[in-house]
């Protein structure tokens, strides 16, 4: 009888361990699915904000604010018919010129929590951040007498086009920070006008 009870007890413990392991696996799979969904949504929203930004920049060209602009990515090397690897650092997102011939540079960032400006997010984080070499490029353009540098941001659905010098020393920007900047502008200020145009374009994209 004692031996039988020992066998049953061992079987019960094994069953409990199996249940616990299954429960742990279920939690892990659910977490992975949730993270994957969040990552996918972030990518879709990021692309939507890029489209809104590009449409706004096109309007700037049409209305004579900019003479031209282009989006730049990192240098890549083709490794096959349909594959490539990044072989260089990306410059800032937007490279352009004003109608007066001044240099224009802008970095485009979107996130649901915050955009890291000078601070670095935790290792492995997918947080939006202005990278060190991009900060250096914006700093250099802003330091010239004939250059304009801006940060084009959308945090938690609130969008703004902000002169780089206004935010270059900030650790990060939250939605509160973006709203606070917009609140400092007069309604007819060019930054306010174009920030509103960007906001409307973002809303048309579903942001």
């Amino acid at each position: 009888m004692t031996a039988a009870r020992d066998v049953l007890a061992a079987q019960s413990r094994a069953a409990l361990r199996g249940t616990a392991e299954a429960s742990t696996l279920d939690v892990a799979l659910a977490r992975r699915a949730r993270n994957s969904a969040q990552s996918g949504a972030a990518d879709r929203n990021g692309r939507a904000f890029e489209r809104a930004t590009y449409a706004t920049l096109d309007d700037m060209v049409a209305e004579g604010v900019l003479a031209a602009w282009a989006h730049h990515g990192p240098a890549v090397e083709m490794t096959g018919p349909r594959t490539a690897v990044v072989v260089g650092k990306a410059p800032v997102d937007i490279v352009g010129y004003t109608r007066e011939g001044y240099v224009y540079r802008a970095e485009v960032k979107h996130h649901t929590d915050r955009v890291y400006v000078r601070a670095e997010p935790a290792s492995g984080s997918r947080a939006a951040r202005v990278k060190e070499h991009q900060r250096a490029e914006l700093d250099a353009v802003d330091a010239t007498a004939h250059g304009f540098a801006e940060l084009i941001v959308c945090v938690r659905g609130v969008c703004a086009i902000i002169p780089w010098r206004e935010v270059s020393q900030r650790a990060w920007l939250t939605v509160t920070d973006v709203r606070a900047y917009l609140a400092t502008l007069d309604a007819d200020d060019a930054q306010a006008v174009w920030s509103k145009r960007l906001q409307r374009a973002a809303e048309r994209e579903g942001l």
Side-chain angles (χ1 to χ4, degrees), residues 115-129:
V115 170
Y116 286 80
V117 182
R118 287 284 170 187
E120 292 291 336
S123 177
S125 170
R126 289 176 55 86
R129 67 186 179 103

Side-chain angles (χ1 to χ4, degrees), residues 8-204:
L8 288 173
Q11 290 174 341
S12 297
R13 287 195 295 271
L16 288 172
R17 281 198 301 272
T19 300
E21 289 169 359
S23 178
T24 300
L25 179 61
D26 289 343
V27 170
L29 290 174
R31 184 184 300 114
R32 182 181 300 175
R34 183 172 62 252
N35 290 343
S36 177
Q38 290 172 344
S39 176
D43 289 342
R44 287 192 297 275
N45 289 339
R47 289 192 294 270
F49 183 57
E50 286 180 349
R51 291 193 296 270
T53 298
Y54 301 161
T56 303
L57 293 169
D58 283 343
D59 288 346
M60 288 183 178
V61 172
E63 298 182 25
V65 177
L66 292 178
W69 72 273
H71 174 263
H72 287 258
V76 298
E77 181 178 296
M78 299 303 297
T79 57
R82 297 183 180 180
T83 59
V85 293
V86 174
V87 295
K89 293 180 178 179
V92 294
D93 290 318
I94 307 300
V95 175
Y97 301 90
T98 71
R99 60 184 176 183
E100 297 86 6
Y102 293 170
V103 174
Y104 178 77
R105 297 289 188 273
E107 182 65 13
V108 181
K109 293 298 178 189
H110 169 277
H111 203 264
T112 55
D113 179 43
R114 67 188 61 199
V115 170
Y116 286 80
V117 182
R118 287 284 170 187
E120 292 291 336
S123 177
S125 170
R126 289 176 55 86
R129 67 186 179 103
V130 184
K131 297 178 181 178
E132 183 178 0
H133 67 279
Q134 294 167 335
R135 296 196 300 264
E137 185 176 351
L138 293 169
D139 286 341
V141 170
D142 188 60
T144 69
H146 303 293
F148 293 95
E150 294 183 318
L151 183 61
I152 303 175
V153 297
C154 185
V155 183
R156 210 173 288 179
V158 179
C159 308
I161 302 175
I162 308 175
W164 176 244
R165 66 183 58 183
E166 297 280 345
V167 295
S168 63
Q169 300 305 312
R170 299 291 298 269
W172 53 67
L173 294 176
T174 65
V175 65
T176 301
D177 298 321
V178 178
R179 285 182 175 139
Y181 166 74
L182 293 171
T184 67
L185 304 176
D186 293 332
D188 58 352
D189 185 291
Q191 298 296 142
V193 171
W194 286 106
S195 291
K196 287 179 181 177
R197 298 276 289 271
L198 174 64
Q199 183 73 53
R200 288 197 292 270
E203 290 169 357
R204 288 194 295 272

